[in-house]
Amino acid sequence: MKSMMNRKRADRLFRGGLFGAAFLIPAVLLGMLLSLGIIFFDEFSEIGFQYFFSSDWDPVNERYGIIVFVVGTFLTMFLALGFSIPFSLAISIFTGEIMYGTKIATLISQLLSIISAIPSVVMGLCGLFVLTPIMQDIQLALGYPPYGTGFLSASMVLAIMILPFSAFLGREVISLVPKDLKEAAYGLGATRLEVIRYVILPYAKSGIISGFMISMSRAIGETIAVTMLIGNSNYFPQNIFGTTNTMASVMANEFSEAGSDVYFSAIVGIGFSLIIISALFSLTARKIIKNFY
Amino acid sequence: MKDSLGFKKNMAYHILFLCIVLIGINQVFHKKQGQENTGAADGRLESRHSYSYSDILGAGASFPFPLYAKMFEAYRSEHKVRVNYQSIGSGGGVRQIRVQTIDFGATDAHLDDKQIALFKSEGKEILHIPIVLGAVVVAYNLKGFKNLKLNGAVLAGIYSGAIKKWDDEKIQSLNSNRNGESLPNKNIIAVHRSDGSGTTFVFSDFLGFSSDSWKRNVGIGKSLKWFRGALGAKGNEGVTQQIKNIPGAIGYISLNYALSAKLPIAAIQNADGKYILPSIKSVSEAASGQLPSDARVRLSGTATGGKGYPLSTFTWILVYKQQAYKGRSVKQAKELKNMLAWMLQADGQSLASPLFYAPLPKKAALQAKSILSRMLFNRQNL
């Protein structure tokens, strides 16, 4: 009888533990949002509503507008995603289907996990020392000023950084496609390409898309590598080689030396807005995807 | 309604809501306490107790960090006092000393009158102790063109996008009488620091001093609104790299970076009309004049004559005049004062020049020591 009581209590404790753990994350997120919001809105009367609509960022004259950074953030994110999608899909099909279970697939997966473990400052440095000189040659040849950095360079390095996330998830879901489905398709005379296209990809679709969503979130938040490569000018880019800025970069650049309280709040406000915007973005993206399929 | 684990689903939302409210209350409470008590709510104060008695805690500027690290290491082996310095940036240093979580702050830009007033309104008085001098250097990338000469007005023109080509008349006129060398018809690419930085502050201060239109249109600060064509790079190392990479680039960096990267350096015209190359000597020379009694002087924004290099600056350590705050002991205050005095003596100052910082000239060192002697503990001199 007593042991029965103990077991019940253990069960209750277990349940409580799970519950607490699960709600820790939303509590932390909301807590962060709240603390950022309090600092931000403390000086909001000074910062003003044009904060969300203006493209003028001028700390000397205490004028703050973040629209350039918002555009820059999404520009680099979408471009990086565009660069990474073909490679990520190819890698997931290769390692999850064509070469599944072979040594080569394992090797590629291991290399990918090494890429995901490279600190972003190292990626940024590689970009600065290797990619920008190449970009400069291209820009000189095409008659653009040879900055080397810019949103294009930043997106290219970012694409490599976000690739492992979607590739891993893609590989997992593709390898989980039931064998009998594939065999049935082959039995009907489908080629390998047709099996991949009409059986595997539709089956694994939701997992693959989730992988891209994770990649996107990662791209929105990436800071150091982008900061080193984007050129850090607070203007909209003029051409494909143009320099601009992202929300995370501005914070990384200016946070530590933000002297006045208003300036400090304006920078904290970027963090606040970044969380809100990326939450809205991921909700809308999910909704759109749901409606499509 | 119960789910499989036996929870009422509503309850989950209630608890979540409770969490949020608790966090909110905590935030508001901390904030209020901070206002009344000038920042009692900071975890670092508690954590201090875990240090040994003789630890000194400092935070601030990253520009003098290599030197400070060297100095504190030497001081520790000599005097068995550990100094814990976090190079979180000048802005952070000022913020931390304001909320009294550290023993000293460090900054590359002295507090302006507005900040002094802000401290005063909280009943606090800060002492500025100049430690060493540093210089901002204008480096460039022009193959085959050495010994470039520039002045503040031309630099302001370049960094506001008005002067676009290297063979612009205004640059030519400063660099005439060359045998064989001529400035190329190349675009100038102006590289600036993208991160908020004391280096930018000193540079813009000098441009504002030299050009009224710069002062009016761009201003003086650690982060500026640059013209569209300017290229931002993060940190001294980022700017150095871009100058190296891009033919026709010009940029401002601190002296040690320019020297170790072996980039060509421009001589800058000082108030006496002389073109001066930055060196430890010419930077020290810039501070040889009479300093104001609180040592708050922007060398880059005042006329520098003689052999002085105009883009020079002090770097300061900030301490409270009244050392009895936040339960500090006399011993702690004395340790701090001894350490600062050591930095101003030959022991500390001799470490500066190998790391490309300029030691204080005699007059400035005396002044710094006299400021240091104003430190109090309650009514007693330390």
Side-chain angles (χ1 to χ4, degrees):
Chain A
M1 199 61 201
K2 203 181 170 194
S3 85
M4 185 69 193
M5 290 276 282
N6 273 343
R7 279 174 59 203
K8 266 198 170 161
R9 192 186 298 154
D11 194 41
R12 249 204 318 271
L13 269 176
F14 178 61
R15 219 188 313 153
L18 287 183
F19 186 85
F23 280 91
L24 191 66
I25 294 302
V28 165
L29 183 64
L30 281 158
M32 274 163 58
L33 203 58
L34 212 64
S35 39
L36 292 179
I38 284 172
I39 299 174
F40 177 40
F41 287 108
D42 204 32
E43 300 285 341
F44 193 73
S45 54
E46 295 283 326
I47 295 168
F49 264 105
Q50 89 273 3
Y51 186 75
F52 301 106
F53 309 106
S54 157
S55 61
D56 184 20
W57 182 266
D58 185 351
V60 175
N61 296 311
E62 304 262 12
R63 284 198 303 264
Y64 305 103
I66 59 167
I67 206 73
V68 171
F69 315 141
V70 176
V71 172
T73 304
F74 281 89
L75 192 65
T76 43
M77 186 266 282
F78 280 119
L79 204 60
L81 191 71
F83 286 140
S84 84
I85 281 179
F87 293 100
S88 151
L89 263 185
I91 291 171
S92 16
I93 293 168
F94 186 79
T95 56
E97 166 65 18
I98 294 176
M99 285 284 165
Y100 184 64
T102 62
K103 275 191 179 149
I104 298 175
T106 322
L107 181 72
I108 289 175
S109 301
Q110 278 167 353
L111 292 179
L112 263 188
S113 63
I114 291 176
I115 286 188
S116 69
I118 295 176
S120 82
V121 62
V122 175
M123 296 298 286
L125 280 173
C126 288
L128 204 58
F129 285 98
V130 181
L131 182 63
T132 48
I134 299 171
M135 293 299 278
Q136 275 161 351
D137 290 342
I138 297 172
Q139 286 164 345
L140 277 174
L142 296 177
Y144 288 97
Y147 291 149
T149 52
F151 76 93
L152 186 64
S153 308
S155 301
M156 282 158 87
V157 170
L158 198 52
I160 299 171
M161 298 177 68
I162 63 176
L163 195 130
F165 298 93
S166 49
F168 276 139
L169 210 59
R171 182 198 64 189
E172 287 307 311
V173 289
I174 284 174
S175 69
L176 287 175
V177 175
K179 223 173 180 175
D180 33 350
L181 268 185
K182 287 186 276 185
E183 273 160 7
Y186 283 125
L188 288 170
T191 61
R192 190 151 218 186
L193 179 66
E194 283 166 344
V195 172
I196 289 170
R197 201 168 151 201
Y198 297 110
V199 178
I200 294 177
L201 288 185
Y203 190 89
K205 191 177 57 195
S206 69
I208 293 173
I209 288 170
S210 302
F212 290 135
M213 296 289 295
I214 295 174
S215 283
M216 277 195 242
S217 320
R218 179 93 178 91
I220 288 182
E222 178 46 46
T223 311
I224 295 299
V226 172
T227 308
M228 293 168 94
L229 290 169
I230 198 157
N232 300 294
S233 84
N234 298 345
Y235 297 96
F236 297 114
Q238 295 291 79
N239 52 52
I240 184 74
F241 295 117
T243 56
T244 182
N245 225 336
T246 69
M247 298 170 87
S249 300
V250 177
M251 281 189 278
N253 272 327
E254 303 191 11
F255 183 77
S256 65
E257 293 293 342
S260 81
D261 288 347
V262 184
Y263 189 15
F264 187 75
S265 290
I267 289 176
V268 171
I270 298 179
F272 180 78
S273 317
L274 184 58
I275 296 182
I276 301 263
I277 289 173
S278 50
L280 284 179
F281 170 76
S282 103
L283 283 178
T284 357
R286 257 164 232 283
K287 197 145 204 183
I288 290 171
I289 289 164
K290 239 185 195 163
N291 287 348
F292 255 99
Y293 297 105
Chain B
M1 192 168 60
K2 285 195 172 191
D3 64 13
S4 53
L5 276 176
F7 272 122
K8 278 187 184 156
K9 273 198 178 154
N10 286 345
M11 202 172 103
Y13 289 112
H14 285 188
I15 292 187
L16 183 60
F17 180 72
L18 197 73
C19 287
I20 298 165
V21 170
L22 280 177
I23 294 165
I25 289 171
N26 192 31
Q27 275 294 328
V28 172
F29 176 72
H30 266 211
K31 187 131 183 76
K32 219 172 190 172
Q33 203 183 37
Q35 278 163 354
E36 283 166 4
N37 217 351
T38 56
D42 198 297
R44 288 196 54 191
L45 196 69
E46 270 81 44
S47 69
R48 163 182 283 173
H49 294 303
S50 63
Y51 290 107
S52 73
Y53 215 72
S54 54
D55 266 3
I56 298 173
L57 211 57
S62 50
F63 161 72
F65 176 63
L67 173 64
Y68 287 178
K70 185 99 192 170
M71 282 179 162
F72 298 149
E73 181 55 40
Y75 191 72
R76 190 174 69 124
S77 56
E78 261 179 59
H79 296 266
K80 308 287 170 241
V81 174
R82 218 169 51 173
V83 184
N84 182 343
Y85 182 74
Q86 309 287 328
S87 81
I88 55 174
S90 297
V94 172
R95 209 169 299 119
Q96 293 276 355
I97 192 83
R98 190 173 152 203
V99 297
Q100 303 184 324
T101 55
I102 49 178
D103 298 305
F104 68 89
T107 181
D108 301 331
H110 64 71
L111 300 187
D112 56 26
D113 294 342
K114 220 167 108 188
Q115 283 171 305
I116 292 275
L118 195 67
F119 271 81
K120 212 159 224 169
S121 72
E122 292 166 353
K124 300 170 187 165
E125 191 179 346
I126 282 281
L127 298 176
H128 286 72
I129 299 156
I131 302 294
V132 288
L133 291 125
V136 175
V137 165
V138 177
Y140 61 97
N141 179 344
L142 275 186
K143 243 193 190 131
F145 196 92
K146 285 179 200 137
N147 309 322
L148 181 70
K149 293 175 182 169
L150 292 171
N151 63 21
V154 167
L155 272 175
I158 291 173
Y159 271 90
S160 53
I163 298 176
K164 291 189 168 71
K165 295 267 184 191
W166 277 106
D167 59 354
D168 190 287
E169 252 173 47
K170 284 179 184 137
I171 305 180
Q172 297 270 25
S173 67
L174 304 182
N175 292 280
S176 49
N177 303 329
R178 298 298 192 104
N179 7 338
E181 285 182 335
S182 63
L183 287 154
N185 178 25
K186 220 180 199 141
N187 284 325
I188 303 178
I189 291 182
V191 189
H192 64 83
R193 286 283 290 271
S194 62
D195 47 333
S197 151
T199 315
T200 301
F201 184 87
V202 170
F203 185 69
S204 62
D205 194 24
F206 178 61
L207 299 195
F209 171 71
S210 316
S211 150
D212 282 336
S213 75
W214 179 275
K215 204 177 213 165
R216 237 186 356 262
N217 298 330
V218 185
I220 296 156
K222 289 177 181 170
S223 294
L224 307 174
K225 186 178 176 164
W226 301 94
F227 76 102
R228 191 185 273 280
L231 180 61
K234 187 163 164 50
N236 273 307
E237 64 284 0
V239 176
T240 308
Q241 187 58 31
Q242 289 291 28
I243 301 171
K244 264 184 164 173
N245 279 353
I246 306 176
I250 187 169
Y252 59 90
I253 45 185
S254 65
L255 180 60
N256 50 345
Y257 280 89
L259 293 181
S260 58
K262 299 200 173 62
L263 287 167
I265 292 169
I268 309 292
Q269 191 178 38
N270 71 12
D272 283 350
K274 294 206 180 86
Y275 289 93
I276 308 287
L277 274 170
S279 68
I280 306 242
K281 215 171 159 194
S282 65
V283 174
S284 269
E285 197 75 30
S288 57
Q290 186 61 47
L291 305 184
S293 65
D294 60 358
R296 289 195 304 136
V297 59
R298 280 159 29 190
L299 296 174
S300 46
T302 45
T304 302
K307 289 176 185 162
Y309 177 71
L311 274 163
S312 305
T313 180
F314 282 112
T315 183
W316 292 269
I317 277 183
L318 307 176
V319 291
Y320 281 106
K321 184 177 177 185
Q322 178 52 263
Q323 285 288 305
Y325 61 88
K326 283 289 170 69
R328 295 166 91 248
S329 64
V330 189
K331 182 165 185 253
Q332 221 169 343
K334 276 199 173 132
E335 296 275 19
L336 174 64
K337 195 190 168 190
N338 291 342
M339 190 272 293
L340 294 173
W342 181 90
M343 288 171 93
L344 296 173
Q345 283 163 11
D347 315 282
Q349 294 285 309
S350 66
L351 299 172
S353 48
L355 294 170
F356 307 109
Y357 299 87
L360 295 177
K362 265 194 193 120
K363 232 195 241 170
L366 279 177
Q367 172 95 47
K369 281 173 196 161
S370 97
I371 294 172
L372 194 61
S373 67
R374 288 179 214 160
M375 278 168 76
L376 293 174
F377 195 86
N378 292 326
R379 292 212 184 132
Q380 157 202 355
N381 255 320
L382 278 165

